[in-house]
Amino acid sequence: MHGHGAPAYTNVSFPIPIDPPHVPGENPTGDYRRVFELPDGWQGGRQGGRQGGRQGGRLRFEGAESFARVWLNGHELGFSTGSRLPVEYDAAPYLRPGRNVLAVRVHQWSAATYLEDQDMWWLPGIFRDVTLTRSTADVYVRADHRDGRGVLAYLEGPGPLSIPELGVTGLEPGGEITVEAEPWTAETPRLYEAVVAGDGETVRLRVGFRTISIEDGVLLANGRPLLLKGVNRHEFHPEHGRAVPYETMREDVLLMKRHNVNAVRTSHYPPHPRFLDLCDELGLWVIDECDLETHGFWEVGWRANPTDDPPLRRRAARPHAPHGRTRQEPPQRHHVVAHEAGVGRNLAVMADWARERDPSRPLHYEGDRSCAHTDVYSRMYASHAEVELIGKREEDPLDDPELDARRRTLPFLQCEYAHAMGNGPGGLAEYQELFERHPRLAGGFIWEWIDHGIAHPVHEYAYGGDYGEPVHDSNFVIDGLVFPDRTPSPGLTDLKKVFEPVRFTFDGDDVVRVVNGYGFRDLSHLRFTATVQVEGETVTEHVLGVPADGGEVALPGAGGGPEGERWLTVRAELAEDQPWAPAGHEVAWGQTRLAAATPAPASRTTAFTRDGLITAGDCAFDASGRLVRLFGLEVEGPRLGLWRAPTDNDRYGGLEGRWRALGLHRLTHRVDEVSVGDELVVRTRVAAAATDLGMRATYRWTYDGGLRLALEIEPEGEWPGPIPRLGVDMTLPGAAVDRVTWFGPGPGESYQDTGMAARVGRWSATVEELQTPYVYPQENGHRADVRWAVLTGEQGGIRVSGEPAFGLTARRWSAAELTAARHRPDLVPGDRLHLHLDLAHQGIGTATCGPGPPARLRPAPPNRPPCASASPPREDAPMRTAVPVVMTGTAVQGVRRSGRCPRRP
């Protein structure tokens, strides 16, 4: 990260030949040298070493990739090859009073490289703390919660243990005591401070009492079902690479908590130990993984896979212990799982060692479908249909009946699902509904937390290939719920909504049922409010008295006030400050429509006239029926559009290739007839070269003070699959529009299977704020189900209304320019505003690594007869529906210079 060598990214492939244990002769190497002063009174030498207790010296490395050899004052202390494993050396014999010199040589490649192929940037070097300490203490306690009481087992330590708050004093190593302690959970992270008095030193640690168990295939915490609402987290920082400051770790945990995340999987290695402390303190369940992934062997049929190599059993049995002349006891001894390492004999060794050392923690490993050595059944990217079958214990059987029977008794979790790459992920709500419906399903972990974009002077953020790597996986490393600068993406705001611990259902407009979705606490820490809005403007707001256990609550009268579409929103907010968020932080919300919009009265239409141009009012069309002036603004279009800039899911899932094969990105438009009278009718055929498939598009224009378009579309030929979108495209002068105000879901983007965080209201944003800045540019910024939108600038603007609704996108670049862009700086604003008004969009899905959108969320092949009008979404439909057949009722009307919006189209 400082110019010595260059980053490289691969997901599966090794960037070196697969020839274990050998590595290339071209092995990037860094030499580190650090001079430090030993504090006064710190004794060195053998007398101050292990035999000397307090005055010894241990040199601790938290992380160095991949092979590190260490010298102190010219004496070699040893070497290590576990990049993300803590390593301790006995430095006492070689310490000197005053000036000391520490030297470290780090090679990028070593035999251990074959164990560390973990879908991230290859960034060799020292990336975690290096510490010299006199402490020799190793403290090991186990704190369970059984039958409403805490059970503390003091297994190892240098002296007696005390917990003053619980009245525990003088507990000796090997002792066990039962105490009146509150349980620890992620919702109620209760910790107690323990003090261990050793030989010349005092050790303090925080203890939480909890028991994890499995009964009848259900994962339990303290005897109650545990549903994991998790994320996978790599350690990454856009400027520092693998070196993540403590302040950033803390902000990560706070951001997770504020978005209703309750669990984290430390993919795919042990994190910095202070991150685990933060999870204890603020409340996150943790799956802590071993520094072991051999994914690259998959490409050679798992030949010579280390997971089945007997000489490597030592690493498998002690996954957190270093190699070389080091301290042998692993400090994070209780976290033992691997990832994407195939199967082999060493997995059994790992499992046996872990259970012997600490039987209180369940073991997880996704790679072995037989679950012969695990305590949970785990999958990655299983479809909704497969997850439902597993929830019912109806999954496909294993060949071995005994193993199959055992696996059906295990809880199931998705250790990775809903790949958060680019625009998405979609399908979150469907997954969560399954997790909550079937007790066997213990939830899962979204892949992943952060986009691994490296700050770059030209590209803004770099991904694979931007450093000239001969082997790389492009932007597959840009797959997070937060952008590289840790700004939440729309995917994270959707996840917050899906993970909400409080649910609302409405019975008419006078009762709301509040459902407590917490697993371990009531609702007494929340404040509830009900707000009624008409056309997005608040008309009344009330505080609700909700019982601690939830239930039905009467709503205040919601009538009265102005006419228009009326919505009720109920919110749950923190009543008081919490360690992870201030009072007033919104935890959950629900909405219901109380009244539909009042239909506008019919207006008398004005006939079109032809005199060079075809005109009506202050609107004009050219001889081909193309709109060229709209209330004084020079415009182009609208005309039928079927293309969208492919999302990552479209590209990796294969849809982009199919769409390009149909020529949807290069459509031609032929005008067949222009008829002028009371209405302007323009009949066209839209098609691409090299195919006989096409669309007959008939534009019917009327003018009643506003300009109304009804577009009828009839497909020709047998279309082979879903299309990207169906709508119209037009452009306006860029200087004429700088802000958009709309009534509909917002404030963020929404598509068929995303936008759960969008609520109906009145929203306003600049054109720039409407864009979602995905690191790899792609389709973004769409607002679905918009009732009306006003586009304004210094000289007034226009209003667009739907009958009943439409999808809105406004950009300063075309879909073609967005398609061609590879990095954010590639998108340069032009002098036109590109406006897209849509009936339907292909769902987003998660096909970069997982399933696409469910079939019901894909626009069907356009082989159905035309309809009379677009249908509004059903009130009971969990997602918006769309049929790419017809789009009607797009109206455009001028706006006064004041920018005020007329109430009616």
Side-chain angles (χ1 to χ4, degrees), residues 584-621:
H585 168 79
E586 184 178 87
V587 173
W589 60 272
Q591 264 191 334
T592 188
R593 190 170 73 174
L594 302 176
T598 304
S603 300
R604 182 176 180 179
T605 60
T606 300
F608 290 81
T609 61
R610 187 196 293 267
D611 184 11
L613 294 176
I614 302 169
T615 61
D618 197 13
C619 300
F621 300 78

Side-chain angles (χ1 to χ4, degrees), residues 228 416 488 710 795:
L228 299 171
E416 294 179 22
Q795 300 178 349

Side-chain angles (χ1 to χ4, degrees), residues 726-889:
L726 189 145
V728 294
D729 306 329
M730 61 186 297
T731 71
L732 292 73
V737 177
D738 56 26
R739 179 167 287 276
V740 179
T741 300
W742 74 98
F743 174 50
E749 68 183 24
S750 55
Y751 294 81
Q752 285 199 77
D753 55 341
T754 71
M756 280 69 70
R759 69 190 78 183
V760 175
R762 182 177 299 195
W763 312 99
S764 184
T766 65
V767 173
E768 288 69 28
E769 290 168 343
L770 289 174
Q771 317 311 309
T772 303
Y774 294 112
V775 171
Y776 191 104
Q778 58 197 276
E779 165 63 37
N780 74 91
H782 178 74
R783 269 67 179 178
D785 290 343
V786 173
R787 281 68 164 167
W788 53 256
V790 177
L791 293 78
T792 56
E794 293 182 358
Q795 300 178 349
I798 62 170
R799 173 184 171 112
V800 182
S801 299
E803 296 180 354
F806 62 96
L808 170 70
T809 311
R811 306 186 180 107
R812 299 203 183 277
W813 37 77
S814 68
E817 291 169 325
L818 185 57
T819 300
R822 295 296 176 265
H823 296 87
R824 290 182 189 174
D826 296 344
L827 294 171
V828 179
D831 59 1
R832 304 292 293 176
L833 180 79
H834 297 264
L835 183 64
H836 306 277
L837 310 175
D838 296 326
L839 172 67
H841 254 274
Q842 162 78 4
I844 297 299
T846 178
T848 52
C849 196
R856 67 181 182 81
L857 298 180
R858 303 169 192 159
N863 295 317
R864 305 180 185 181
C867 303
S869 64
S871 300
R874 304 194 321 271
E875 289 296 319
D876 61 343
M879 292 291 173
R880 287 175 291 278
T881 59
V883 180
V885 180
V886 65
M887 179 177 178
T888 68

Side-chain angles (χ1 to χ4, degrees), residues 79-138:
F79 66 90
S80 65
T81 57
S83 297
R84 279 150 287 276
L85 308 179
V87 178
E88 288 189 358
Y89 299 92
D90 183 6
Y94 310 109
L95 286 170
R96 301 169 179 167
R99 185 177 184 273
N100 288 262
V101 179
L102 175 64
V104 186
R105 171 164 291 174
V106 181
H107 301 288
Q108 177 164 12
W109 311 122
S110 73
T113 300
Y114 293 107
L115 307 178
E116 298 173 355
D117 183 24
Q118 291 148 321
D119 184 14
M120 59 186 180
W121 289 99
W122 297 89
L123 294 172
I126 301 172
F127 59 92
R128 290 183 185 166
D129 305 338
V130 181
T131 308
L132 181 66
T133 176
R134 292 186 295 191
S135 175
T136 60
D138 186 18

